[in-house]
Amino acid sequence: MDFQLNQEQRAFADSVRRFARAELAADALKRAHSPAFPWDVAAKLSEMGLLGITIREEDGGIGGTLMDAVIAIQELALVCPKSADVVQAGNFGPIRTFAEYASPEQKERWLGDLLAGRNLLALGMSEPDAGSAVTDLKTSAREDGDHYVINGSKVFSTHSPEANLFLIYVRFAPGVGGIGSVLIERGTPGFTVGQPSAFMSGEEWCQLYFEDCRIPKANVLLGPGGFKKQISGFNVERIGNASRALALGRHAFNLAKEHAETRIQFGRPLCEFQGLQWKFADMALKLESAQLLLYRAATNADNGLPSAYETSIAKLSCNLAGFEVANEALQIMGGTGYSQEALVEYCVKRTRGWMIAGGSIEILKNRIAEELFERRFDQRPPRESRS
């Protein structure tokens, strides 16, 4: 059992690190505080082969591993946290599901621009009344000749202010078996992108509205019965979420460590105070423990679809470690950490959001418990008590 990156992985990490320091470091703070998607960064990352790392070569990707994508995210985040979001969008989440299940015609139409950093694919899954209970979604797809008519709405869609293509979870029929997904382009009649709203981190999202929105049947990604395939792809997204959460925690840790080494109080550096030494030891423990769980999930997932248990426990660990370490780093740096002149406060806000997005920490604990007890725990009330 080897707990270290192999020689090839270390060389890849080094190349990404050198690129990030040369091309992305200068404007890292500016990017973090801008809600706009960094299209210039996306173009550079595409040229470096960092978009589509996990996508097959025959589809225009690099044909690499999930571990390669994790390494890229973490190395970029240690220099420019916002740029790691671009790698996430180009390797995990909806683009991974799209690349796995799209038809040849759909790939020819859209995948090239997505991998070149010229287009963004946004996911429409959550609804006003269906968040963690995603199977309660109501957005419908009604068959009408050679088309489907879409009605409903979506919330909290990442990249929705700027995406031109949307992967939308829809209900073709009642029950879980009736859930699938469709692809809808911005500007399609009956599809309205609402005004931007902002999360605590400054990241923006728009509510999506569908009112008798007609799309051709060729735009169906996964028809009825596709829900389980979509959720399997969602497990992969959790690896990307976990990677960013942990990397931003480590970014904040590094800033706090440098601060503690150089900040003089009461006549000596902060790092010489035992209370802070213990804080850093605790922070390192959380980061290193979570890192091993993340590597396990990514490595095993490269051998097939990822284990829901391993991705859940990795995301839970990385979410908690990332936020707790970033929050402690802010406390250590005091007013400097709380200021927007440093990236620590940004790391705190972003890592806090990932404890909700992509499966809340409570839902993850439920999923882990189901694996431990080898049974499913239905969160819904007994049928006879429903009204």
Side-chain angles (χ1 to χ4, degrees), residues 4 6 32 34 60 116 120 165 169-170 202 224 261 265 275 316 324 333 340 355 377:
Q4 302 295 324
N6 62 38
S34 171
L120 267 174
L165 182 64
Y169 281 35
V170 296
E261 290 170 331
Q265 290 289 276
L316 176 61
E324 290 169 2
M333 294 179 66
Q340 289 196 347
M355 297 169 76
F377 296 104

Side-chain angles (χ1 to χ4, degrees), residues 304-378:
L305 286 175
S307 160
Y309 174 77
E310 291 182 356
T311 56
S312 294
I313 207 165
K315 182 180 184 294
L316 176 61
S317 181
C318 290
N319 283 169
L320 293 174
F323 173 71
E324 290 169 2
V325 169
N327 193 49
E328 194 70 277
L330 188 153
Q331 183 69 23
I332 290 168
M333 294 179 66
T336 300
Y338 194 59
S339 168
Q340 289 196 347
E341 298 305 311
L343 277 168
V344 173
E345 59 84 30
Y346 173 78
C347 291
V348 171
K349 291 187 292 188
R350 287 292 274 155
T351 54
R352 185 63 186 86
W354 289 321
M355 297 169 76
I356 300 170
S360 70
I361 57 175
E362 292 80 13
I363 289 294
L364 295 174
K365 289 179 181 180
N366 290 343
R367 183 64 189 85
I368 292 166
E370 288 179 343
E371 186 74 18
L372 295 176
F373 288 98
E374 298 182 340
R375 54 175 291 194
R376 185 176 183 277
F377 296 104
D378 194 344

Side-chain angles (χ1 to χ4, degrees), residues 243-310:
S243 300
R244 288 184 293 165
L246 186 62
L248 265 64
R250 195 177 293 278
H251 186 106
F253 174 90
N254 290 343
L255 292 175
K257 179 174 176 288
E258 180 181 0
H259 180 82
E261 290 170 331
T262 58
R263 174 70 166 168
I264 305 298
Q265 290 289 276
F266 304 105
R268 55 179 173 157
L270 291 179
C271 64
E272 293 186 6
F273 292 92
Q274 188 180 62
L276 290 188
Q277 293 168 11
W278 289 1
K279 284 181 181 290
F280 278 102
D282 288 339
M283 293 157 73
L285 174 63
K286 292 175 181 179
L287 292 173
E288 296 302 325
S289 301
Q291 187 76 70
L292 292 176
L293 290 171
L294 174 61
Y295 280 172
R296 182 184 71 169
T299 299
N300 289 341
D302 279 323
N303 298 322
L305 286 175
S307 160
Y309 174 77
E310 291 182 356

Side-chain angles (χ1 to χ4, degrees), residues 61-98:
I62 304 302
T65 66
L66 285 171
M67 269 297 295
D68 293 332
V70 168
I71 290 168
I73 282 177
Q74 295 196 313
E75 291 297 336
L76 287 172
L78 290 176
V79 177
C80 177
K82 184 67 172 284
S83 294
D85 293 345
V86 183
V87 178
Q88 166 79 9
N91 290 281
F92 293 100
I95 195 170
R96 173 89 177 193
T97 304
F98 177 85

